[in-house]
Amino acid sequence: MNSIGKLGAMQQLIKGGRMMPAAAISDDSILVKKIVAEHNPEGIEYDVRPLLQIVEDVLIRSTLSSEGATTGALGRVDHVEDRSYHPGQTNTLEALSAKIDRISCEISYKTLGGVDAHSTTVGIFDMLTIFKWDVKIVLALAAFALTYGEFWLLAQIHDKNQLAKSMAILKQLPSIMEHASSLKPRFDTLNDLVRIIVEVTKCVIEFHDLPSQYITQDITAYTTAYNYIPVASYWTIRSIVACAAQITSLTTLGYEIFTSTDAWELSTLIFKLKNIIDHLRQLLNSCHEHIGKKMDAEAYQMLRDLFSKPHTDNMKVLKALIYAQDDILPLYDGVTKKRVSLEPLRRKNVLLLFSGMEISTDELLILEQIYNESKAHAPRMESRYELVWIPIVDPNSEWTELKKKQFESVQENMSWYSVHHPSLIGKPVIWFIQSEWKYKNKPILVVLDPQGRVSCPNAIHMMWIWGSAAYPFTSSREEALWKEETWRLELLVDGIDQEILNWIKDGKYIFLFGGDDPEWVRRFVKEARRVAMATQIPLEMVYVGKSNKREQVQKIIDTIIRDKLNTQYWSEQSMIWFFWTRLQSMLFSKLQLKQTDDDDHVMQEIKKLLSYEKQGGWIVLARGSHIVVNGHATTGFQTLVEFDAVWKDHADREGFESAFKNHYDKVHSIVSPCCRFEFSHAMGRIPERLTCPECRRNMHVLTTFQCCHDEKIDEDFFVSTVTPPTN
């Protein structure tokens, strides 16, 4: 075609309105009114994803291999692997190939005939009334891929294949290739538009594939998207028409046909589709959020149902809690340092350790000691149990490099199994362990029997109290141990300080005491030693500190050393931590077993000691195993001070033990200090009511906010953000 002929053709195209600005018709609802009215899908479901994959492959490879030429629409061909297609992927294409050819011909014919883009777009929709919106778009995109792919295929091989060379000449490719560099900006714009067309197409398909059981028309985001997809479909196919028109015009009218108006039209369509894809993604994200909540609620209810039914083994339960699929190895073996499946846990007693990554080194060391002792001493057939750490992290928080290192550090210190990565533990599982097993960031140890039934909702307390003697860590074993237990000094110090156990065997008097007031400690030790000397009793003393305020406790230990006070002390903070952890575990073990009645002497004494400790200071006087007084620091000190004036003669007549207790009780009845308990938000099973161990009346419930600056308190409150569904 000579230049005069090309100019006439250009004028005809412009006159026909092919290059009509995208914004010329601003009201989208008017644009799609006819299309929506005639949209009448016949109900046949087409899986267009395989067809879209083929189309994407064509668009990715539609590029020149020569240096400096334009890149493909979806990326560089250098990084694309060859694909092979199985019959299932081409079934849809076989059913729809004739329709794709017709659309391709329709676009070429109307483009060369000068028909405007809107009319051509509506004509394509007229051909596709029986198809759903996602199918319409993919078919139109496949039709464009035929034209676009053929153009670039000839461009790539015309200098190597005679047939391709002859066809390329017919399509004026040699002259186009001569101007490839100058045409590159235009092709880049064209490729940008094709790229966003594919993005919109995938988004529409994703809306179509949303599971109907979780998303309905009453969901605002879904309804908005449902009404907006016809508009998105129109502008996507309108953009496909514009792209196809560019290639058709180029191969029929020559490279001179590209004008600034063409570039402006493509850029306008890019802007339009970007707004569309942003809007669709927002709606899609809202829909996915709604679906996620529905699926999480369903999974949560499934977990509840699962634990209410009998099973032949524990695998269903473990898969539901840890990881349900078989595509990865979900566990990490702390011995072999390799990933493994859930199979080693089949038909075994499984101890599930739930905790955050803040689990302390002290806890891990003691837990490992108990774990190894239980494995070694349990009978052969009964030792079929395993421990699994299930890390619980805030599902809404970002997984940072720091958290990754912290997790790996904790995991490497464990000799048992652990979940490979915290992300395997879904939000429904966190809901479940919070609501059913009262997990609130403090470690809990749930015991499952070989059939997946819960043997104990939290065995960590009996582990801390009795160690490996609590094996097999069931609730029935916990009850049996409490039936055998009495209020004795071994209960408080067993497994912590062997020297105290030796004193017990020797029948010595023993003062355990604690507090955070250095002056009281100094005066108490001196008074106790003075009275012991006066009564000639063998007295040993140990400073045990407090359950918190580590820095203050260390200062008092420094005072004991500096002033050479005649008392023992626990220099290792881990011993102090374990003493108070065991004592708190005694309380929670009783609460878990609902052994809270006023006639339970052990329970009342535990409550007294925990209460006195929170009020500043405490004392425990024992003779051998027998605990004589479990009391308040101030009252105990006053009892010692009044020895000479009040109860010295009584001690001479009836002995130190009886005299001290009688006078302590008298002083205590006058002073009558208040009792107070503090339950951390992270403790889990906080009782709804508690009776005072002194007066046996119900205690008032208060909410306290406390900040202790000398200790690290890193208590996550994410539990409140993942509240399980109420329905």
Side-chain angles (χ1 to χ4, degrees):
M1 184 181 291
N2 59 29
S3 58
I4 297 176
K6 290 180 180 178
L7 180 61
M10 272 181 70
Q11 290 172 340
Q12 183 180 0
L13 289 173
I14 296 171
K15 185 177 179 180
R18 181 180 68 84
M19 298 177 188
M20 179 175 59
I25 303 177
S26 59
D27 193 342
D28 288 342
S29 61
I30 296 175
L31 276 175
V32 302
K33 186 175 182 180
K34 176 180 181 297
I35 296 170
V36 173
E38 296 178 357
H39 176 65
N40 186 28
E42 58 186 6
I44 299 176
E45 289 290 336
Y46 293 96
D47 182 9
V48 292
R49 288 185 183 273
L51 177 56
L52 181 61
Q53 287 181 355
I54 297 171
V55 170
E56 278 193 277
D57 195 49
V58 171
L59 298 175
I60 289 171
R61 298 172 191 277
S62 296
T63 178
L64 284 177
S65 58
S66 61
E67 186 69 28
T70 183
T71 58
L74 301 182
R76 289 191 60 82
V77 71
D78 315 14
H79 306 294
V80 181
E81 295 181 359
D82 291 339
R83 286 184 181 178
S84 58
Y85 300 100
H86 54 78
Q89 286 182 288
T90 57
N91 289 342
T92 303
L93 180 59
E94 292 172 3
L96 300 172
S97 58
K99 188 68 68 175
I100 293 170
D101 281 332
R102 282 193 60 194
I103 296 170
S104 180
C105 293
E106 180 82 1
I107 294 174
S108 299
Y109 173 75
K110 289 189 174 180
T111 297
L112 295 173
V115 178
D116 66 84
H118 172 69
S119 299
T120 303
T121 302
V122 173
I124 293 172
F125 276 106
D126 288 342
M127 298 168 60
L128 303 173
T129 55
I130 64 171
F131 298 102
K132 293 183 177 180
W133 297 109
D134 61 327
V135 183
K136 297 179 199 283
I137 299 175
V138 173
L139 291 178
L141 189 57
F144 167 68
L146 280 178
T147 304
Y148 198 58
E150 181 189 24
F151 175 85
W152 285 113
L153 178 62
L154 293 177
Q156 290 174 13
I157 67 172
H158 75 281
D159 57 347
K160 301 174 185 176
N161 183 287
Q162 184 57 45
L163 175 60
K165 183 177 181 180
S166 299
M167 291 184 65
I169 292 172
L170 290 176
K171 289 184 173 291
Q172 306 184 67
L173 270 173
S175 61
I176 295 173
M177 292 302 101
E178 290 176 7
H179 298 84
S181 296
S182 62
L183 291 173
K184 185 178 183 304
R186 301 293 174 86
F187 277 117
D188 287 346
T189 305
L190 183 67
N191 288 339
D192 288 342
L193 181 55
V194 172
R195 190 177 297 109
I196 198 167
I197 286 171
V198 173
E199 288 183 30
V200 176
T201 303
K202 288 180 177 179
C203 205
V204 172
I205 292 174
E206 200 169 343
F207 266 111
H208 177 266
D209 290 345
L210 291 176
S212 57
Q213 67 268 36
Y214 299 118
I215 197 84
T216 53
Q217 292 287 348
D218 60 335
I219 307 304
T220 304
Y222 183 73
T223 303
T224 304
Y226 184 85
N227 295 328
Y228 188 65
I229 281 176
V231 174
S233 302
Y234 169 83
W235 284 108
T236 304
I237 294 182
R238 170 80 171 261
S239 299
I240 291 171
V241 169
C243 293
Q246 296 285 320
I247 300 301
T248 299
S249 301
L250 182 63
T251 57
T252 55
L253 302 177
Y255 70 91
E256 298 97 332
I257 194 67
F258 273 10
T259 67
S260 59
T261 309
D262 292 300
W264 181 84
E265 181 190 19
L266 295 181
S267 297
T268 303
L269 289 171
I270 289 173
F271 179 77
K272 182 73 177 179
L273 287 189
K274 279 184 177 178
N275 288 334
I276 287 173
I277 191 68
D278 288 344
H279 187 46
L280 283 178
R281 280 174 178 160
Q282 287 179 357
L283 296 172
L284 192 60
N285 289 339
S286 296
C287 289
H288 280 310
E289 186 177 341
H290 174 81
I291 292 170
K293 289 179 180 179
K294 287 284 187 180
M295 293 178 71
D296 285 344
E298 185 180 84
Y300 169 73
Q301 188 57 48
M302 182 272 292
L303 268 172
R304 297 188 67 183
D305 294 342
L306 201 60
F307 276 92
S308 66
K309 299 174 182 176
H311 304 283
T312 56
D313 62 25
N314 54 6
M315 292 309 287
K316 280 187 178 180
V317 167
L318 292 174
K319 284 185 175 183
L321 286 172
I322 297 173
Y323 189 70
Q325 307 302 321
D326 296 322
D327 55 341
I328 67 168
L329 300 174
L331 296 182
Y332 179 80
D333 189 332
V335 176
T336 65
K337 307 301 180 184
K338 294 180 180 179
R339 291 176 61 179
V340 295
S341 68
L342 293 173
E343 196 58 34
L345 308 180
R346 185 185 292 272
R347 294 191 180 92
K348 290 186 179 181
N349 293 289
V350 179
L351 280 62
L352 301 175
L353 175 62
F354 295 96
S355 82
M357 292 185 295
E358 299 78 18
I359 186 169
S360 70
T361 305
D362 294 336
E363 289 172 304
L364 289 178
L365 287 174
I366 296 173
L367 198 59
E368 181 165 15
Q369 179 184 341
I370 296 170
Y371 173 73
N372 292 334
E373 287 177 359
S374 301
K375 282 275 193 178
H377 298 144
R380 183 177 180 83
M381 291 305 294
E382 293 183 13
S383 64
R384 294 176 58 82
Y385 85 94
E386 299 293 347
L387 179 60
V388 182
W389 179 45
I390 300 183
I392 304 299
V393 300
D394 185 349
N396 301 315
S397 67
E398 181 183 359
W399 183 251
T400 62
E401 186 64 25
L402 181 62
K403 289 183 178 180
K404 177 175 178 290
K405 289 180 179 179
Q406 185 182 13
F407 167 71
E408 291 173 349
S409 174
V410 174
Q411 190 179 54
E412 285 300 314
N413 286 326
M414 294 178 171
S415 59
W416 46 81
Y417 293 107
S418 60
V419 171
H420 162 63
H421 194 276
S423 61
L424 297 184
I425 307 304
K427 193 179 292 185
V429 175
I430 298 176
W431 286 348
F432 182 81
I433 65 171
Q434 287 172 358
S435 62
E436 301 299 317
W437 297 331
K438 310 306 177 187
Y439 172 78
K440 288 188 178 180
N441 306 329
K442 291 292 185 182
I444 65 170
L445 194 67
V446 179
V447 183
L448 304 181
D449 72 6
Q451 286 73 46
R453 295 170 299 196
V454 178
S455 299
C456 181
N458 189 6
I460 197 111
H461 303 309
M462 69 173 107
M463 266 199 171
W464 294 153
I465 302 167
W466 295 290
S468 59
Y471 180 85
F473 311 112
T474 61
S475 294
S476 57
R477 177 59 178 160
E478 189 173 15
E479 287 188 46
L481 287 168
W482 275 123
K483 286 180 181 178
E484 300 169 5
E485 197 58 79
T486 58
W487 180 242
R488 57 199 177 100
L489 196 56
E490 290 93 334
L491 179 62
L492 299 182
V493 299
D494 192 24
I496 302 176
D497 191 332
Q498 182 59 44
E499 190 169 7
I500 295 179
L501 297 178
N502 293 335
W503 295 341
I504 292 173
K505 290 178 183 177
D506 295 339
K508 291 184 176 182
Y509 284 96
I510 303 166
F511 255 133
L512 301 184
F513 63 99
D516 56 4
D517 182 355
E519 184 57 31
W520 176 85
V521 169
R522 186 182 293 109
R523 294 169 66 190
F524 177 76
V525 171
K526 290 180 179 179
E527 281 298 317
R529 287 300 176 189
R530 183 183 68 81
V531 172
M533 185 175 294
T535 55
Q536 296 183 340
I537 61 169
L539 177 66
E540 302 291 348
M541 302 182 71
V542 181
Y543 173 72
V544 182
K546 288 179 66 69
S547 61
N548 53 20
K549 299 188 178 181
R550 288 195 171 195
E551 290 187 8
Q552 189 66 23
V553 168
Q554 187 57 51
K555 288 179 181 178
I556 292 177
I557 292 175
D558 294 341
T559 299
I560 292 172
I561 297 171
R562 184 180 62 252
D563 294 356
K564 298 180 181 180
L565 298 180
N566 191 6
T567 179
Q568 304 274 14
Y569 57 88
W570 288 341
S571 58
E572 295 182 22
Q573 290 283 354
S574 59
M575 296 174 71
I576 298 174
W577 167 83
F578 193 40
F579 176 85
W580 292 108
T581 296
R582 291 182 72 253
L583 199 62
Q584 291 167 355
S585 291
M586 293 174 199
L587 175 65
F588 284 108
S589 174
K590 289 280 189 179
L591 291 172
Q592 185 170 277
L593 295 173
K594 296 182 170 55
Q595 296 181 359
T596 58
D597 59 272
D598 294 343
D599 296 328
D600 188 332
H601 177 64
V602 175
M603 180 62 163
Q604 301 309 319
E605 294 300 323
I606 292 169
K607 289 197 296 185
K608 282 181 184 179
L609 185 49
L610 288 171
S611 174
Y612 297 151
E613 189 267 340
K614 291 301 179 187
Q615 295 176 54
W618 58 277
I619 63 164
V620 169
L621 173 64
R623 183 177 186 181
S625 178
H626 174 62
I627 295 177
V628 179
V629 167
N630 170 26
H632 192 277
T634 305
T635 310
F637 177 69
Q638 184 177 341
T639 302
L640 291 173
V641 169
E642 294 176 354
F643 169 72
D644 292 320
V646 181
W647 58 278
K648 183 178 183 298
D649 292 341
H650 187 181
D652 291 338
R653 290 193 308 272
E654 301 184 20
F656 173 81
E657 179 180 337
S658 173
F660 183 89
K661 177 173 172 50
N662 288 338
H663 191 65
Y664 174 89
D665 289 343
K666 289 178 182 178
V667 175
H668 184 72
S669 64
I670 298 171
V671 177
S672 189
C674 297
C675 284
R676 169 166 78 101
F677 297 97
E678 293 179 1
F679 293 95
S680 168
H681 172 82
M683 286 298 185
R685 296 179 184 273
I686 300 175
E688 293 183 3
R689 59 179 291 272
L690 207 61
T691 58
C692 174
E694 301 284 359
C695 67
R696 308 300 170 90
R697 289 194 290 264
N698 286 334
M699 302 179 73
H700 297 293
V701 179
L702 304 173
T703 299
T704 302
F705 292 88
Q706 178 177 323
C707 183
C708 299
H709 307 291
D710 64 337
E711 61 178 331
K712 182 181 179 183
I713 297 180
D714 188 15
E715 187 175 298
D716 294 326
F717 284 90
F718 79 81
V719 290
S720 61
T721 68
V722 288
T723 306
T726 54
N727 54 351

